[in-house]
Amino acid sequence: MTQMTIGHLYTSLHAGCASAVARVLEANGVEVEFSDLDADDIAEVLESGEIDLLVSSWFPRDEKFMGPGLRIIGDLYQPVTSFAAFEPLGPIETLLASDFDRVIVADDSREAFDSASARLPALSELPVEIVGEGALVEQLEKAQAMGSRPLVVATQPHAIFHLPLLHVIEDSASLLGKEMSARMIIRDDAARNADQDLLDELSEMMLGNKVMSALDYAIGVEGQDPDDAAEAWQRGRLLPR
């Protein structure tokens, strides 16, 4: 197969992931085009065949996108929604409202937090602030400078976890949900036309949450082009040695 269209959500995280996958495709002689998607577009473009490869879907959450003529490959990273704070603390079930002054929740983690909060009555009196994903780094840097003590709820990977700012709080009961798997959905036609060695390489490709957080930071905070950030990853320059 000499050409492939990659679809991905229009966020710095997913753009970085798509560009990293594109580096592998291009190294195998495949010409790549990108299609930026809203979440509401995904089912339609998969069904219509407008894209060959979706990067990436979070399973089991996104099982709804699977249908005839599609297959799942790879395990690129492991998204998980986490509690965090500026300093190490005990398990979330042992903490009290007096340990914090508010809750800051990344917008994409709101549903998970709403479900978990019902099981954390000791924290119910804390004010809750919902913050867009792109604004989370700036918001938390300001909070730290002001001496604030927020309980943070955000989904890894994220640019904020690239900084030495937060300590993840133990959530042994998975109140915010279990770890997921970021996988690729490829059309059967595209898979049949692709070289088997390429499919094997994509299936074995591992970015991990640490790399993905670094990509998100480079693109979303530092303003790097996704392709430049993916090249830095490929050449081993994305993370400090």
Side-chain angles (χ1 to χ4, degrees):
M1 190 172 191
T2 59
Q3 186 172 355
M4 191 174 290
T5 300
I6 298 178
H8 65 86
L9 289 176
Y10 191 69
T11 69
S12 55
L13 182 79
H14 288 279
C17 188
S19 291
V21 170
R23 305 290 295 187
V24 174
L25 295 175
E26 290 166 346
N28 284 270
V30 178
E31 182 181 339
V32 175
E33 293 185 358
F34 295 97
S35 179
D36 298 339
L37 306 171
D38 290 325
D40 294 340
D41 298 332
I42 293 176
E44 181 180 347
V45 298
L46 284 171
E47 185 177 354
S48 67
E50 293 179 41
I51 62 172
D52 300 299
L53 184 68
L54 177 67
V55 179
S56 57
S57 293
W58 293 1
F59 283 80
R61 185 196 70 181
D62 291 337
E63 287 177 344
K64 59 183 179 288
F65 296 131
M66 288 303 297
L70 301 172
R71 68 178 73 171
I72 305 168
I73 60 172
D75 181 17
L76 295 168
Y77 56 97
Q78 294 72 46
V80 61
T81 305
S82 304
F83 294 105
F86 289 149
E87 59 185 42
L89 296 171
I92 189 63
E93 298 92 340
T94 68
L95 302 179
L96 304 173
S98 57
D99 293 312
F100 310 100
D101 54 26
R102 56 179 162 151
V103 184
I104 297 178
V105 183
D107 186 58
D108 71 332
S109 306
R110 183 189 307 193
E111 185 175 342
F113 172 71
D114 287 345
S115 177
S117 60
R119 299 170 63 183
L120 294 169
L123 305 177
S124 61
E125 66 188 65
L126 288 168
V128 177
E129 183 177 333
I130 307 297
V131 178
E133 294 171 69
L136 187 60
V137 169
E138 181 180 3
Q139 189 79 359
L140 289 179
E141 287 179 333
K142 287 181 178 178
Q144 186 184 51
M146 294 171 59
S148 180
R149 296 176 295 110
L151 171 63
V152 181
V153 180
T155 299
Q156 303 181 58
H158 188 286
I160 192 62
F161 292 104
H162 179 62
L163 298 173
L165 193 65
L166 293 177
H167 296 268
V168 173
I169 295 172
E170 181 183 346
D171 177 17
S172 58
S174 299
L175 299 179
L176 292 170
K178 295 183 178 180
E179 182 179 277
M180 295 176 281
S181 174
R183 311 193 68 185
M184 293 169 275
I185 298 178
I186 188 169
R187 290 193 304 108
D188 281 339
D189 287 348
R192 282 193 293 267
N193 291 328
D195 184 83
Q196 186 58 49
D197 288 342
L198 171 58
L199 292 179
D200 291 343
E201 189 170 352
L202 290 175
S203 295
E204 296 168 2
M205 185 178 178
M206 171 56 73
L207 293 167
N209 288 2
K210 187 174 182 180
V211 166
M212 286 302 305
S213 293
L215 283 170
D216 193 31
Y217 186 86
I219 298 165
V221 178
E222 296 183 328
Q224 290 189 34
D225 181 82
D227 187 60
D228 292 340
E231 181 181 5
W233 158 74
Q234 193 176 49
R235 295 183 181 276
R237 301 196 307 261
L238 184 65
L239 294 169
R241 295 184 182 277

